[in-house]
Amino acid sequence: MATIFSKIAAGEIPSYKCAESEHYYAFLDINPLAFGHTLVIPKQEVNYIFDINDEQYAGLWAFAKKVATALKAAVPCRRIGVAVIGLEVPHAHIHLVPINKERDMDFSNKKEFPAEEMQAVATRILEEFEKL
Ligand code: AMP
């Protein structure tokens, strides 16, 4: 059965799309740690990130680097924090979180933002991504 993230990448479940390429997809985390918190996934369904084959794995991080650059341009911050957790959704994903201080990476402190703000920031990230 397809994972929820495969359905998102296929457009079968809505998401706030931030970037896309042939093999990878990026979208806003629905329960963000910080405004602009983005998830990066391979379209290929692999549960555990370290089970991805070397070529796809390298491609995933290269794509994430580009998304992080777009995200930092769209959401001014000191750094883009990076995390891989994967305890909730069995489809490999990288968390990219705009941060200004260490506490902004606190996974026990999820936030909510209005749909219009989520859509607006996703559009800004996508625009920045398309410039790269
Ligand atoms: P984890 O698997 O522990 O890295 O956590 C999965 C992350 O995916 C959490 O931060 C969730 O908020 C996020 N998430 C779960 N379902 C969705 C969805 N439909 N759209 C966007 N983000 C989601």
Side-chain angles (χ1 to χ4, degrees):
M1 211 179 71
T3 67
I4 186 170
F5 285 179
S6 286
K7 290 181 183 165
I8 283 176
E12 292 162 16
I13 288 179
S15 68
Y16 296 104
K17 174 176 160 177
C18 302
E20 183 169 15
S21 70
E22 187 185 352
H23 297 298
Y24 309 102
Y25 189 83
F27 56 105
L28 293 184
D29 192 304
I30 206 71
N31 288 122
L33 305 187
F35 191 58
H37 178 170
T38 298
L39 301 177
V40 177
I41 62 168
K43 291 182 179 175
Q44 185 193 26
E45 222 168 72
V46 178
N47 181 343
Y48 183 43
I49 194 164
F50 296 127
D51 286 335
I52 297 175
N53 74 52
D54 288 356
E55 191 185 335
Q56 283 273 324
Y57 180 82
L60 177 67
W61 284 100
F63 180 77
K65 178 179 173 182
K66 219 173 140 183
V67 175
T69 303
L71 177 55
K72 193 159 190 305
V75 180
C77 57
R78 285 182 64 201
R79 287 283 193 256
I80 299 298
V82 180
V84 175
I85 312 289
L87 291 173
E88 190 185 315
V89 177
H91 184 134
H93 52 280
I94 297 169
H95 294 260
L96 298 178
V97 187
I99 56 171
N100 294 300
K101 54 188 183 310
E102 203 176 289
R103 277 201 311 281
D104 293 340
M105 285 296 284
D106 179 0
F107 276 81
S108 63
N109 185 18
K110 300 204 170 177
K111 307 203 167 60
E112 254 184 80
F113 297 96
E116 316 80 73
E117 289 182 27
M118 295 284 275
Q119 187 54 65
V121 76
T123 302
R124 280 211 305 279
I125 298 164
L126 191 53
E127 282 168 0
E128 293 294 341
F129 182 81
E130 282 169 356
K131 286 187 208 162
L132 297 171

